[in-house]
Amino acid sequence: MRVPRPGDLRRFCVVDGWVRVADAPGRRVSKHEVWTRRLADGRALHTAISKGRDEYGVPLFARILRAQLQVTAAQFWLAVDTGEAPQRPGVHSSRPQGEPLPFALAKRLLAAGLPQAELAGLSQADAERRMGELEGRQ
Amino acid sequence: MVRWQMSEARRDFSTLVERASRGEWQLVGRRARAEVVLADAAEIAELLAAAFPFAPQVFAEETGVEIWLPELEVYGQGSTLAEAQDDLVEAALDFVDAWETELRVAPNQRHKSGHARRVQLADDRARVAEVLFDATSGRPPR
């Protein structure tokens, strides 16, 4: 699956008519670019472009598409590549890709010495098994 | 339970605050209907914590970590878990700002009220991090 860079998300927001939330006086100044969008049916969308990495993983991108932008990957890339704004509704009934790890489990594994690269790609069942092995060793 | 009329509450506001901070909810309204409740913030935080837990999801990549917060539908990223946590705190604060000023009236965002209020009640970044990442946050001390 093709994944975006922060610039692609920014381009999508511009093409799709999102409004950038300015750092107005009295409001906290964010490290992120915050964008919102009102749809004709009253729904409000929100996204914040993080500067934590210069790329997005597939599971996270799937969630951003489904929950924040509310478009399909095809609609997203069409907007980014050609400037064609997506037509809503008509989206995403499928579950997002990628199995997440519960936060507490991920933190325990890293604290127990598991390299981050090894954590990548572990299913929850594998992660729990690995935790058991690491705990058994201590 | 005492129910204050608006004019009485205005006059005796310091009494209301004192009683509320002792754990007595102060109901204020016009005629017989309570319109506003003044209550101890810690108690409200505790009640919200019990009803609206957070369950952040971690996606570990070879070159970084991403955390998705399904309750607010926001994310944090970083080259380490700690960086991603800090980034998620920022994202949650961004969300709550937008939620308070714009999103909370939208039909697809209203259900996030309890979780948004939990972040809102946290005083600073450290407390927000505790609310998001510590599953025991909000429980009374033993």
Side-chain angles (χ1 to χ4, degrees):
Chain A
M1 184 185 191
R2 184 181 170 193
V3 291
R5 292 179 172 276
D8 296 321
L9 284 170
R10 189 175 302 116
R11 163 103 173 125
F12 175 84
C13 288
V14 171
V15 169
D16 191 34
W18 291 56
V19 175
R20 175 139 183 214
V21 177
D23 297 323
R27 292 186 69 151
R28 55 182 286 281
V29 177
S30 176
K31 295 176 191 165
H32 296 158
E33 276 181 40
V34 181
W35 297 76
T36 59
R37 168 93 156 86
R38 281 314 274 260
L39 302 181
D41 62 5
R43 280 180 293 162
L45 308 181
H46 166 271
T47 193
I49 301 175
S50 164
K51 292 165 185 154
R53 297 182 72 202
D54 60 3
E55 59 187 6
Y56 290 80
V58 170
L60 178 61
F61 181 44
R63 281 160 178 78
I64 291 170
L65 286 173
R66 190 175 67 98
Q68 293 190 342
L69 310 183
Q70 302 203 358
V71 292
T72 63
Q75 287 175 309
F76 177 86
W77 288 115
L78 193 66
V80 171
D81 294 338
T82 71
E84 183 179 324
Q87 298 295 312
R88 294 185 180 87
V91 268
H92 44 259
S93 55
S94 59
R95 290 174 58 77
Q97 298 179 7
E99 185 187 0
L101 296 177
F103 173 78
L105 179 60
K107 189 165 184 181
R108 279 171 60 214
L109 280 163
L110 292 171
L114 187 77
Q116 191 171 296
E118 206 175 316
L119 193 63
L122 284 185
S123 67
Q124 185 171 342
D126 288 341
E128 283 168 355
R129 198 174 309 117
R130 197 76 183 84
M131 191 70 241
E133 290 168 8
L134 288 167
E135 283 174 341
R137 200 187 299 161
Q138 288 169 354
Chain B
M1 181 180 293
V2 179
R3 184 163 293 168
W4 298 82
Q5 291 300 305
M6 203 70 83
S7 54
E8 296 172 325
R10 199 179 301 120
R11 200 169 46 237
D12 277 337
F13 189 67
S14 59
T15 304
L16 270 74
V17 170
E18 187 190 322
R19 290 184 180 179
S21 64
R22 289 202 307 254
E24 299 168 25
W25 285 25
Q26 304 298 304
L27 309 184
V28 183
R30 295 185 179 89
R31 300 186 184 90
R33 186 168 170 267
E35 295 176 42
V36 174
V37 177
L38 194 67
D40 179 52
E43 183 186 355
I44 298 292
E46 192 182 314
L47 291 170
L48 288 172
F52 301 101
F54 284 104
Q57 302 173 339
V58 175
F59 299 102
E61 308 271 333
E62 289 192 11
T63 56
V65 177
E66 298 177 327
I67 309 177
W68 177 251
L69 192 66
E71 294 78 18
L72 297 181
E73 296 179 323
V74 296
Y75 66 91
Q77 298 175 300
S79 54
T80 64
L81 182 64
E83 281 182 18
Q85 283 179 258
D86 194 50
D87 198 46
L88 184 62
V89 166
E90 184 77 8
L93 290 168
D94 288 339
F95 178 85
V96 168
D97 272 359
W99 187 83
E100 183 68 10
T101 55
E102 180 180 358
L103 302 177
R104 67 194 170 97
V105 296
N108 65 319
Q109 299 284 354
R110 269 185 222 136
H111 69 282
K112 297 176 185 170
S113 163
H115 291 97
R117 293 293 187 204
R118 283 196 69 194
V119 175
Q120 201 175 22
L121 273 176
D123 309 296
D124 54 30
R125 294 180 67 91
R127 178 77 188 126
V128 173
E130 195 180 312
V131 164
L132 298 183
F133 301 115
D134 182 357
T136 62
S137 167
R139 290 184 195 162
R142 294 190 175 185

